[in-house]
Amino acid sequence: MSERAYDVAIAGGGLAGGLIALALHRRAPDVRFIVLEAGEVLGGNHRWSWFETDLGEDGDTLLASFAINRWDEGYDIAFPKYEKTLETSYRSLTSEEFHRKLIGELPAESVRFSARVEALDDCGITLAGGERIEAKRVVDCRTFKPSAHLAGGWQVFLGQHIQCDEPHGLTRPVIMDATVDQIAPHGNGSAYRFVYVLPLSETEVFVEDTYYADHPKMDKDQLWSRTQAYATRHGWHGEVMAHETGILPVLTGGDLNAALADRRVPGVAMAGAQGGFSHPLTSYTLPFAVENALAIAELLKSAPSTTANELATFCQKRADAHWRRTGFYRLLSRMLFEAANPEERVVVFQHFYDLSDDLVERFYAGGSTWSDKVRILSGEPPVPISRAIKALLSRGTPLSTEKPA
């Protein structure tokens, strides 16, 4: 192997890949790594959010130096039957800040842009054009791809960062305003719709129109106009400084190992959403990306002789454990997509958020207790019992493998 070989080569500079690089840099400084990103920035064009209770002390420390939007006054929700403020602190990080911080801290030679991966194996990565990057271990953190072995639906959204002409008056995030019209955008059938709002400063606000839909289709023009209409209705007039779009999987079931087998390369570790690390119902990824980054860095620090196969097995075991641990949330996703008519899905969330704040906290963190699960499923069901039973017994609808539009 060449003397220039890296200890770790990371394919993909998104959230998972960037955090693994940061954790290695800080916690395993003797590990020589490189991040290969096909684009021109780390993190793409995204905003990642999480609840303060989603991360442990080590996770908070890993992210502490980022310029993060923080709200310690809790957050609001609104449904047709009630409005409510929950006390859990909320956090949000932009990909622009993610890129800025990583580029400023990571060694300059450890990140390469316009580096599109053509192929990878347990000894390195081959880039488009034929250049070979040799490495003792490879971690694949590239974008999630649908699989016929997985079941579920989609979360489709468009968000706008608006610089308001006057103060908007918000003091807390609105995580879910489901009082809006539940009609889905043209071409996407019916869906559960809500608007997500973050007050970034006294005059800046982020407004996102979101849908739990059956198909990965996006009518960007319609979502744009709906987001603008929502802002106008609340008196938030001003310039759109930036915007983002997303189409994320909402998993209801399937066979993770079969899905990973379609993409797995022997001896190559897999991380990120494509490795199975996301919340099946909310599609949140940051808490799990942080956990994985810390775990990989600790492994290579404590066991520097870890082989490529051992690292791949380590990540696979973590994915298996995460899949087992989040089975309850896939069941709830099936209830949402199969037991409730699309235009009635709002009732499912309305029922859930009427439970205790502590239960909701644990739910988002992926740590629901047995008593939480019993409480969620008990009482008067928000959907017809016959359809609920059918959904419980269902394997879920195969996740659409059509290219997101």
Side-chain angles (χ1 to χ4, degrees):
M1 183 173 288
S2 168
E3 293 181 358
R4 296 182 59 191
Y6 293 90
D7 295 311
V8 179
I10 302 169
L15 180 67
L19 289 179
I20 290 171
L22 181 62
L24 288 173
H25 175 64
R26 291 184 181 175
R27 301 170 74 96
D30 292 334
V31 174
R32 187 164 179 251
F33 64 86
I34 186 168
V35 179
L36 301 169
E37 166 56 38
E40 299 297 329
V41 296
L42 296 175
N45 178 30
H46 298 286
R47 175 179 288 277
W48 302 284
S49 298
W50 67 100
F51 295 90
E52 182 188 29
T53 50
D54 290 348
L55 302 181
E57 182 177 348
D58 287 344
D60 286 334
T61 299
L62 184 67
L63 300 181
S65 59
F66 287 93
I68 294 171
N69 292 111
R70 304 170 186 270
W71 300 273
D72 293 322
E73 304 84 2
Y75 64 95
D76 294 334
I77 57 171
F79 290 95
K81 287 190 175 181
Y82 66 86
E83 296 181 359
K84 184 177 180 181
T85 298
L86 291 88
E87 296 181 356
T88 310
S89 297
Y90 199 62
R91 306 286 184 258
S92 191
L93 170 67
T94 65
S95 53
E96 181 180 16
E97 167 60 15
F98 183 76
H99 172 85
R100 185 198 67 80
K101 177 59 183 175
L102 292 184
I103 289 301
E105 181 169 344
L106 298 179
E109 67 277 8
S110 68
V111 179
R112 282 187 57 180
F113 297 105
S114 300
R116 186 171 66 83
V117 174
E118 185 70 27
L120 38 69
D121 54 59
D122 60 345
C123 294
I125 294 176
T126 302
L127 301 180
E131 181 182 356
R132 178 71 177 172
I133 307 296
E134 294 184 349
K136 298 176 183 178
R137 312 165 190 89
V138 175
V139 184
D140 188 357
C141 298
R142 290 175 294 175
T143 304
F144 173 87
K145 293 182 180 179
S147 168
H149 296 293
L150 297 176
W154 299 90
Q155 187 182 136
V156 180
F157 60 86
L158 181 148
Q160 298 177 357
H161 178 175
I162 302 173
Q163 175 65 61
C164 301
D165 298 332
E166 299 178 353
H168 48 65
L170 294 174
T171 59
R172 294 184 297 269
V174 180
I175 299 304
M176 197 169 283
D177 181 354
T179 63
V180 294
D181 190 335
Q182 291 297 299
I183 299 176
H186 175 71
N188 211 6
S190 297
Y192 167 54
R193 179 193 177 206
F194 65 91
V195 176
Y196 170 82
V197 184
L198 300 178
L200 304 177
S201 72
E202 288 188 356
T203 56
E204 294 174 87
V205 64
F206 180 79
V207 183
E208 182 178 279
D209 204 17
T210 304
Y211 301 80
Y212 275 71
D214 295 325
H215 304 285
K217 298 178 181 178
M218 175 180 293
D219 185 330
K220 184 176 178 180
D221 290 340
Q222 190 168 19
L223 265 65
W224 184 281
S225 64
R226 287 188 175 188
T227 304
Q228 283 284 293
Y230 184 91
T232 299
R233 189 161 65 248
H234 287 78
W236 305 330
H237 304 281
E239 180 183 357
V240 177
M241 306 296 291
H243 79 280
E244 66 175 80
T245 60
I247 302 177
L248 304 177
V250 180
L251 300 180
T252 64
D255 184 338
L256 177 65
N257 282 322
L260 295 182
D262 288 345
R263 304 190 294 273
R264 185 184 294 120
V265 176
V268 173
M270 297 180 69
Q274 78 141 348
F277 298 101
S278 65
H279 193 298
L281 182 53
T282 67
S283 302
Y284 278 32
T285 56
L286 185 137
F288 312 115
V290 168
E291 289 177 358
N292 271 343
L294 293 172
I296 290 172
E298 184 58 33
L299 172 67
L300 297 183
K301 176 183 178 182
S302 61
S305 61
T306 297
T307 66
N309 282 324
E310 288 170 342
L311 180 59
T313 300
F314 176 79
C315 289
Q316 178 61 54
K317 288 182 177 179
R318 288 184 61 82
D320 290 341
H322 178 75
W323 184 261
R324 291 192 299 270
R325 189 170 61 248
T326 55
F328 177 70
Y329 308 116
R330 291 192 297 279
L331 181 149
L332 294 180
S333 293
R334 287 202 302 279
M335 295 284 285
L336 178 67
F337 278 95
E338 298 186 32
N341 291 325
E343 66 276 6
E344 298 171 348
R345 288 171 183 166
V346 62
V347 179
V348 176
F349 282 92
Q350 183 172 259
H351 171 78
F352 169 74
Y353 271 103
D354 204 23
L355 303 175
S356 72
D357 292 12
D358 290 345
L359 181 150
V360 175
E361 279 187 4
R362 291 188 291 270
F363 174 89
Y364 272 99
S368 297
T369 65
W370 278 108
S371 60
D372 289 342
K373 296 173 184 179
V374 170
R375 181 68 186 90
I376 291 172
L377 295 176
S378 64
E380 182 179 354
V383 295
I385 293 178
S386 60
R387 293 212 301 265
I389 293 174
K390 184 178 179 180
L392 289 173
L393 298 176
S394 170
R395 294 184 177 181
T397 303
L399 197 65
S400 172
T401 56
E402 64 184 292
K403 185 177 180 181

